[in-house]
Amino acid sequence: MEKEPRAAVIGWPVKHSRSPIIHRYWLEHYGIAGSYDRLALRPEEAEGFFRTFISSGLVGANVTIPHKETAFSFCDEVDETARRLGAVNTLVVRDGRLVGSNTDGIGFLGSLDSGAPGWDEIGANAVVLGAGGAARAVVWALLSRGLTVHLFNRTRSRAEALAERFGAEVHVHDFAKVSEILEGASVLVNTTSLGMEGQPPLDIDLAPLPARAVVTDIVYVPLETPLLALARARGLLTVDGLGMLLHQAVPGFELWFARKPEVTPELRRLVLADMGQTEADLGGALT
Ligand code: ATR
């Protein structure tokens, strides 16, 4: 009898990862015999682990902080997105080779497509706040839909390094210009950790944003960040950060368990409950 496929999320620390909830929900929902676990991997053990991943018995894995770049460097093959980002979050063993992809950007797009259909046709300019690993995936995603990206970051040099990776469609600005740039923007994305539980809120005036603009945050604890609350109070369309987490999991599940899963309201509720939140925390909106 063939062994049941086993997958895992690999990180350090990894105990707070919600990926097991998501994948185990789908395994049960679709009646698939398989498993999905947490694997805590110390940074000093990462190279050895990814070098011999093929013999781990896993069909694949999600890779999270701080291993996305290390995993990338031990793949036999990576897809175009992972190559552009220099990081992988999804691994699969295919024909004895370790194949890496990056689905964070796809998750971001999936979330906006379902939460704000047509968001990429409102205008040509997107504003991205932050220039860390998450910003990289978001910038890739926005460019893939033909938008021009305007990047703001506390540490300007980091924003410049990110822009260099992507070319002429990414512009770096000082915060002094944020109002002026927001006036012409159709999408605003926060990729900084500001607004996250225990962090100060993002200090930004949304008044210059056009009324049809969409505001989204990759922070999802709390589900309604101060930024999203502010945008909603202004009557702007908002998309919370949980959708990105759920949608980035879809391609991995399909690769490992041969079934394309759906992001359902029930799955959202399950993950929210684990975070001690409900849809009511988002003003009742079900996105
Ligand atoms: P991730 O990989 O999740 O994006 P990261 O690489 O640590 O995490 O990036 C965090 C982002 O939040 C960065 O853009 C960071 O700005 P710096 O590049 O200047 O560090 C931003 N950030 C974190 N705390 C901040 C703060 N108090 N004020 C402004 N920006 C902040």
Side-chain angles (χ1 to χ4, degrees), residues 136-154:
R136 240 194 262 179
V138 165
V139 169
W140 170 85
L142 292 165
L143 293 176
S144 78
R145 293 291 176 89
L147 279 93
T148 297
V149 174
H150 300 272
L151 204 51
F152 293 83
N153 193 48
R154 175 178 61 179

Side-chain angles (χ1 to χ4, degrees), residues 65 129-136 152-156 158-159 175 190-194 196 199-200 202 218:
I65 289 166
L129 309 174
R136 240 194 262 179
F152 293 83
N153 193 48
R154 175 178 61 179
T155 313
R156 188 181 162 114
R158 246 186 133 189
F175 271 102
N190 174 46
T191 75
T192 75
S193 43
L194 294 173
M196 195 184 282
Q199 296 278 332
L202 186 68
I218 68 153

Side-chain angles (χ1 to χ4, degrees), residues 57-109:
L58 295 168
V59 291
N62 282 125
V63 182
T64 187
I65 289 166
H67 300 315
K68 291 184 184 187
E69 275 96 0
T70 310
F72 171 86
S73 65
F74 286 99
C75 285
D76 299 307
E77 199 181 315
V78 293
D79 73 356
E80 166 66 14
T81 316
R83 200 178 54 74
R84 288 293 299 275
L85 301 179
V88 300
N89 75 336
T90 305
L91 296 172
V92 65
V93 177
R94 190 183 295 147
D95 302 327
R97 291 161 63 77
L98 185 60
V99 181
S101 54
N102 195 308
T103 69
D104 286 333
I106 293 167
F108 175 78
L109 294 174

Side-chain angles (χ1 to χ4, degrees), residues 118-257:
W119 66 275
D120 52 347
E121 282 161 13
I122 300 170
N125 293 294
V127 171
V128 175
L129 309 174
R136 240 194 262 179
V138 165
V139 169
W140 170 85
L142 292 165
L143 293 176
S144 78
R145 293 291 176 89
L147 279 93
T148 297
V149 174
H150 300 272
L151 204 51
F152 293 83
N153 193 48
R154 175 178 61 179
T155 313
R156 188 181 162 114
S157 57
R158 246 186 133 189
E160 279 163 356
L162 198 157
E164 221 164 90
R165 177 181 278 275
F166 289 105
E169 295 309 307
V170 181
H171 304 274
V172 177
H173 307 279
D174 283 328
F175 271 102
K177 278 188 80 179
V178 76
S179 289
E180 186 187 320
I181 302 292
L182 284 178
E183 271 176 32
S186 54
V187 187
L188 169 65
V189 189
N190 174 46
T191 75
T192 75
S193 43
L194 294 173
M196 195 184 282
E197 210 167 69
Q199 296 278 332
L202 186 68
D203 183 20
I204 189 168
D205 178 14
L206 298 182
L209 267 179
R212 59 204 161 81
V214 176
V215 178
T216 183
D217 205 323
I218 68 153
V219 170
Y220 58 87
V221 181
L223 194 56
E224 182 164 81
T225 59
L227 172 72
L228 295 182
L230 216 60
R232 205 158 59 85
R234 245 215 68 190
L236 301 170
L237 186 56
T238 61
V239 178
D240 66 74
L242 182 57
M244 179 170 173
L245 175 75
L246 302 179
H247 283 274
Q248 62 78 30
V250 170
F253 189 91
E254 187 176 10
L255 282 170
W256 311 318
F257 303 115

